Amino acid sequence: MNKRIKIGMLVDDIDSSFTQQACRGAELGAINIDANLYIFPMRFLDSRDFLDDHSRFEYQYNMIYHFITDNNIDILLFYMSNYIKMLFLK
């Protein structure tokens, strides 16, 4: 029995229509290759702006990053601020 590929996709600005379209495209691609897709909404990486009330707790979005390991994800896609990077974890 073949194991299904597990693809993780880190995205920032999940409210952006461009990001949502990228997620839909990744979903269609995962369906096409019969893979599991996990979308992890995050905020901007290395953001140090915690002064205003709106962004003060954005660091909590990034805590999910600590749960992504090579034991539970085979391929990790970074989709951050229109920057795409793919890592093969296995």
Side-chain angles (χ1 to χ4, degrees):
M1 174 155 90
N2 290 338
K3 183 180 116 177
R4 290 183 77 172
I5 296 172
K6 295 174 281 189
I7 302 171
M9 184 174 178
L10 295 173
V11 299
D12 66 352
D13 199 14
I14 194 70
D15 297 326
S16 162
S17 64
F18 194 74
T19 302
Q20 291 172 3
Q21 290 176 358
C23 290
R24 285 188 199 105
E27 179 184 10
L28 292 174
I31 290 170
N32 191 36
I33 64 170
D34 194 33
N36 293 332
L37 176 67
Y38 304 97
I39 297 175
F40 300 101
M42 298 179 63
R43 289 294 184 203
F44 307 101
L45 289 178
D46 202 25
S47 176
R48 307 243 190 256
D49 184 18
F50 301 117
L51 300 177
D52 63 359
D53 288 337
H54 179 69
S55 65
R56 185 171 49 175
F57 298 106
E58 286 189 356
Y59 73 93
Q60 293 176 351
Y61 279 92
N62 293 350
M63 293 305 295
I64 199 166
Y65 179 75
H66 298 287
F67 298 103
I68 300 170
T69 67
D70 61 350
N71 291 328
N72 54 20
I73 297 293
D74 299 314
I75 299 170
L76 186 60
L77 299 172
F78 285 89
Y79 182 81
M80 301 289 172
S81 299
N82 301 331
Y83 171 77
I84 299 174
K85 174 88 174 168
M86 181 170 38
L87 299 173
F88 292 93
L89 300 180
K90 293 187 179 185

